[in-house]
Amino acid sequence: MTADDSFNRLDDDDYPAYTMGRAAEMLGTTQGFLRAIGEARLITPLRSEGGHRRYARYQLRIAARARELVNQGTPIEAACRIIILEDQLEEAQRFNAEYRRAAESTNPTAAA
């Protein structure tokens, strides 16, 4: 991988571009918080060849949501569960919308 390839991947939400220290700094939290949400299996950071945790942008968005809930007084384990349930609900709603569109396209008179 060239330096240009690495730079271009920074726009990739799945690219583990951030170290634990940098991620904690960006989120305004501690490294311990990131470890805790990792232990709760909310996010699973990738590991560098040296074994260091590396975070992608989508993981930082999830961690930011967890931090928001914890700052509101929600215990960390409950915050992680809430986020998981929110994600499952969003996925179910997306699935239902796709199912409705498919049903309407095969039987347009039933939708009216």
Side-chain angles (χ1 to χ4, degrees), residues 1 11 42 62-63 73 92:
M1 180 180 295
D11 289 334
L42 180 61
I62 294 168

Side-chain angles (χ1 to χ4, degrees), residues 57-73:
R57 282 192 307 191
Y58 83 91
Q59 292 174 317
L60 297 184
R61 285 193 297 273
I62 294 168
R65 175 70 176 128
R67 181 177 176 267
E68 177 183 313
L69 290 169
V70 169
N71 285 351
Q72 293 172 0

Side-chain angles (χ1 to χ4, degrees), residues 92-107 111:
Q93 289 172 331
R94 192 171 40 252
F95 176 77
N96 286 339
E98 290 172 11
Y99 178 75
R100 277 190 223 101
R101 280 192 297 277
E104 290 171 1
S105 69
T106 60
N107 191 3

Side-chain angles (χ1 to χ4, degrees), residues 30-47:
T30 65
Q31 293 181 16
F33 176 81
L34 292 173
R35 280 188 209 92
I37 63 175
E39 289 170 10
R41 296 186 181 157
L42 180 61
I43 59 174
T44 303
L46 296 168
R47 297 284 183 151

Side-chain angles (χ1 to χ4, degrees), residues 2-112:
T2 67
D4 286 338
D5 291 338
S6 294
F7 182 75
N8 290 334
R9 295 200 61 191
L10 292 177
D11 289 334
D12 182 353
D13 263 3
D14 296 323
Y15 183 66
Y18 305 98
T19 63
M20 177 181 271
R22 180 68 180 129
E25 179 182 319
M26 290 170 66
L27 295 169
T29 191
T30 65
Q31 293 181 16
F33 176 81
L34 292 173
R35 280 188 209 92
I37 63 175
E39 289 170 10
R41 296 186 181 157
L42 180 61
I43 59 174
T44 303
L46 296 168
R47 297 284 183 151
S48 68
E49 288 182 16
H52 300 281
R53 291 173 179 88
R54 304 286 294 189
Y55 296 88
R57 282 192 307 191
Y58 83 91
Q59 292 174 317
L60 297 184
R61 285 193 297 273
I62 294 168
R65 175 70 176 128
R67 181 177 176 267
E68 177 183 313
L69 290 169
V70 169
N71 285 351
Q72 293 172 0
T74 307
I76 197 161
E77 297 81 13
C80 292
R81 185 67 181 141
I82 288 168
I83 294 166
I84 290 166
L85 291 170
E86 287 173 341
D87 185 56
Q88 290 172 343
L89 176 60
E90 183 180 322
E91 185 177 355
Q93 289 172 331
R94 192 171 40 252
F95 176 77
N96 286 339
E98 290 172 11
Y99 178 75
R100 277 190 223 101
R101 280 192 297 277
E104 290 171 1
S105 69
T106 60
N107 191 3
T109 55

